[in-house]
Amino acid sequence: MRTVMFSAARNELASLLDEVAQDRVAVEIVRRDKPSAILIDKEEYEGIIETLHVLSTPTNAARLMEAITDTNEGKNLVSHDLLDPK
């Protein structure tokens, strides 16, 4: 994660926004004697929030973990051949 001082972030805001959107990297913005903040792409943020929501319910979390395990073991996979629909 890149770290940028507040004054530099203010001067480079447009390029920082481009960087987080294009490279999917987070940028920590640091202020003197104040808490820092993290700048991330909106889609990254939405993905994090969605993941937290799914994992917030134990039943959903267990289902997700089971699905990941099944996928890793090659179980319950569905193949779709778009060139040869049946």
Side-chain angles (χ1 to χ4, degrees):
M1 176 177 358
R2 184 171 163 209
T3 301
V4 177
M5 294 301 296
F6 173 77
S7 57
R10 184 177 51 227
N11 294 331
E12 303 171 21
L13 185 57
S15 64
L16 288 174
L17 291 170
D18 290 341
E19 183 179 337
V20 298
Q22 292 169 3
D23 300 338
R24 302 289 184 172
V25 296
V27 175
E28 179 182 16
I29 300 173
V30 179
R31 299 183 297 167
R32 190 174 331 152
D33 301 324
K34 302 269 183 159
S36 61
I38 306 296
L39 180 64
I40 61 172
D41 179 71
K42 182 182 177 190
E43 289 179 6
E44 289 288 322
Y45 171 78
E46 290 171 346
I48 291 167
I49 295 302
E50 183 176 349
T51 300
L52 289 173
H53 174 72
V54 168
L55 295 177
S56 68
T57 305
T59 302
N60 284 343
R63 287 181 185 151
L64 180 59
M65 294 298 114
E66 182 179 348
I68 290 170
T69 299
D70 285 352
T71 300
N72 289 338
E73 294 175 358
K75 297 178 185 174
N76 301 322
L77 300 179
V78 177
S79 176
H80 296 281
D81 188 346
L82 298 176
L83 299 177
D84 186 23
K86 295 180 182 172

